[in-house]
Amino acid sequence: AVWSETFVGSIGIGTHFSYWDLLPYGNNLSSTLASLKAAGFRWVRDGLFQDTNVGSNDRFYGVMNQVKAAGIKMVLVTQPAYLGNNQFVTAPYSNQSNLDTAVNRLGAGAILAFEGPNEVDNNNYNWGGIPAFGAAAKQYQAAMYQHAKQIAPGVTVIGLTVTSAYGAGFVGDISAYMDAGTLHPYPSAQVPTAYLASTENALSVLNGAHKGWWVTETGYYTAPNATQNVYQPGVSEAAQAKYAPRLYLDYFNAGISHTSIYELIDEHSSQSDAEANYGLLRNDGSPKPAYTSVKNLIALLADPGAPYTAGSLSLSLSGTTSTIRQALFQKRDGRFYLVLWNDVLVFNNSSKSDISNAPVPVTVAFGSPHNVSVYQPYTQATPISTTSSATSMTVNVPDHPVVLEINP
């Protein structure tokens, strides 16, 4: 088994706290912060904002210190420091004042990681265009890494991102200037792992030292009929609610140490713009079902405190298990948590309709009797059933996670 908090600690969410012109981060900021805290996310991924306007900086760090006060860490996406008048620091990027400011105003302990610049191939015009952007972005990553290690040696530094093997080829190997690589393997409305392995492979040139990967963007948007910014198909809110917790589990099982879904809350209320609908919360702050399903999973598995080395549990699964995925966690009080889910599509992209998948009966046999409570985070936070002194039980595994709490 794995300590359950190790999994919970892998779960992050994308935010845009410097976008105060948008409703969720402007007028509704207090509601957005309250929902972030209530969900139990251990970290957020946001941009490292810096302006020449002192008031703007105070506003950003005022909010981020509220995030810090809630015990939530942050992954900050870096870029060359802003000098004013639309001018940014250029090569050799020795001025890293935005990192200095972050460490001074938040404290290194609040920062989970500095991330290299976002999708530099998509933004290549900011880096001198094709082909120059690759060498420039690599030079920035190296300078940022070296400076971060000087001022905050305990903070992880993860790599810049690109969106394709083509883009990665211009940048080359940056593994000497990062502690882990960074991926954005959006599933394109397929099962969560649909593009995970292929993205790792496509971007492998960045990570010659095989340092492991973080995922700082991935997810599903809930506007299947959108006509703008459609880079992948959309899904229903019900489908997002099934896929989101599966995604965190699937990526963790695949060895991804940290995963951040894009994003916490819809940026706008338009159903025609795909980009506006990636949130787990709607633009007005009301929860989509995915917010609740992720929140319930986190609450069930959370075990904050001193690190714990989990033990083992004797069990076996039988039945039609070819598409059944599993994860076994343990809390410090000894309780085990067996998570089961059916790794199948839940939304038909052609008909734009939800797929009704029959639950798969799976028999779970234990080496000795246990009291077992069964939870279904997609629908509720409380158990759906309890069984005393079970040595074997049949679980109907749906297309979203079901969790067996097994008392030792």
Side-chain angles (χ1 to χ4, degrees):
V2 174
W3 181 33
S4 63
E5 184 64 29
T6 304
F7 168 64
V8 172
S10 78
I11 299 176
I13 193 74
T15 55
H16 289 294
F17 283 113
S18 64
Y19 290 12
W20 38 74
D21 56 323
L22 301 182
L23 181 68
Y25 301 107
N27 289 348
N28 288 0
L29 174 64
S30 59
S31 162
T32 301
L33 280 168
S35 296
L36 173 66
K37 295 175 194 175
F41 290 108
R42 297 298 192 255
W43 54 281
V44 296
R45 184 239 192 191
D46 209 313
L48 176 51
F49 175 83
Q50 179 177 310
D51 204 338
T52 49
N53 179 300
V54 172
S56 296
N57 289 334
D58 287 348
R59 183 171 184 174
F60 174 71
Y61 282 107
V63 174
M64 295 313 268
N65 272 296
Q66 291 183 65
V67 174
K68 172 187 172 179
I72 300 168
K73 295 198 176 192
M74 47 210 85
V75 171
L76 297 172
V77 184
T78 61
Q79 62 175 5
Y82 182 57
L83 300 170
N85 297 320
N86 289 320
Q87 298 296 308
F88 293 83
V89 168
T90 55
Y93 306 109
S94 47
N95 174 350
Q96 295 280 333
S97 56
N98 47 355
L99 273 73
D100 296 331
T101 302
V103 171
N104 288 336
R105 300 195 67 162
L106 295 169
I111 304 169
L112 181 63
F114 288 117
E115 178 181 334
N118 193 59
E119 299 185 352
V120 295
D121 50 344
N122 278 359
N123 306 300
N124 66 74
Y125 47 86
N126 290 330
W127 298 90
I130 294 173
F133 82 91
K138 180 176 183 174
Q139 188 177 12
Y140 174 83
Q141 176 76 33
M144 184 272 287
Y145 176 84
Q146 286 154 357
H147 191 76
K149 293 302 178 184
Q150 285 172 354
I151 62 170
V155 175
T156 299
V157 177
I158 58 177
L160 59 78
T161 45
V162 293
T163 62
S164 67
Y166 177 74
F170 287 99
V171 177
D173 187 4
I174 54 170
S175 57
Y177 313 118
M178 67 190 195
D179 299 313
T182 314
L183 306 171
H184 293 171
Y186 284 94
S188 200
Q190 305 292 315
V191 298
T193 54
Y195 291 96
L196 180 58
S198 60
T199 303
E200 288 184 21
N201 189 49
L203 306 190
S204 60
V205 63
L206 300 176
N207 193 358
H210 305 291
K211 288 189 170 180
W213 297 102
W214 292 34
V215 169
T216 57
E217 283 186 32
T218 182
Y220 299 84
Y221 70 88
T222 56
N225 296 308
T227 53
Q228 300 162 257
N229 294 311
V230 179
Y231 307 117
Q232 60 173 344
V235 299
S236 67
E237 288 191 354
Q240 183 197 38
K242 293 178 177 182
Y243 282 142
R246 280 170 51 180
L247 186 153
Y248 286 121
L249 288 158
D250 277 325
Y251 284 26
F252 186 80
N253 275 358
I256 303 296
S257 68
H258 295 77
T259 296
S260 167
I261 281 180
Y262 189 87
E263 62 187 314
L264 176 63
I265 187 165
D266 288 350
E267 293 178 32
H268 304 279
S269 56
S270 161
Q271 283 289 303
S272 62
D273 181 2
E275 280 285 317
N277 293 278
Y278 278 90
L280 303 186
L281 299 161
R282 301 183 193 98
N283 182 251
D284 65 2
S286 60
K288 298 180 191 178
Y291 173 86
T292 306
S293 66
V294 171
K295 176 186 174 186
N296 287 345
L297 183 68
I298 290 172
L300 184 57
L301 296 175
D303 190 33
Y308 173 71
T309 302
S312 58
L313 178 68
S314 173
L315 63 81
S316 62
L317 305 183
S318 57
T320 309
T321 57
S322 60
T323 58
I324 302 300
R325 304 291 174 257
Q326 60 177 304
L328 182 65
F329 302 112
Q330 190 182 26
K331 289 186 179 175
R332 287 170 302 161
D333 64 10
R335 285 179 295 175
F336 287 94
Y337 292 81
L338 176 64
V339 190
L340 302 171
W341 64 100
N342 190 13
D343 184 31
V344 291
L345 286 170
V346 303
F347 192 77
N348 184 318
N349 296 329
S350 306
S351 62
K352 298 184 180 180
S353 58
D354 290 299
I355 297 170
S356 179
N357 293 301
V360 177
V362 173
T363 300
V364 183
F366 303 108
S368 57
H370 295 276
N371 296 338
V372 180
S373 298
V374 180
Y375 291 82
Q376 189 167 280
Y378 174 74
T379 54
Q380 63 194 66
T382 51
I384 58 172
S385 70
T386 55
T387 307
S388 298
S389 299
T391 53
S392 174
M393 57 191 294
T394 298
V395 181
N396 290 314
V397 179
D399 51 12
H400 49 85
V402 61
V403 184
L404 279 62
E405 180 183 73
I406 304 157
N407 286 281

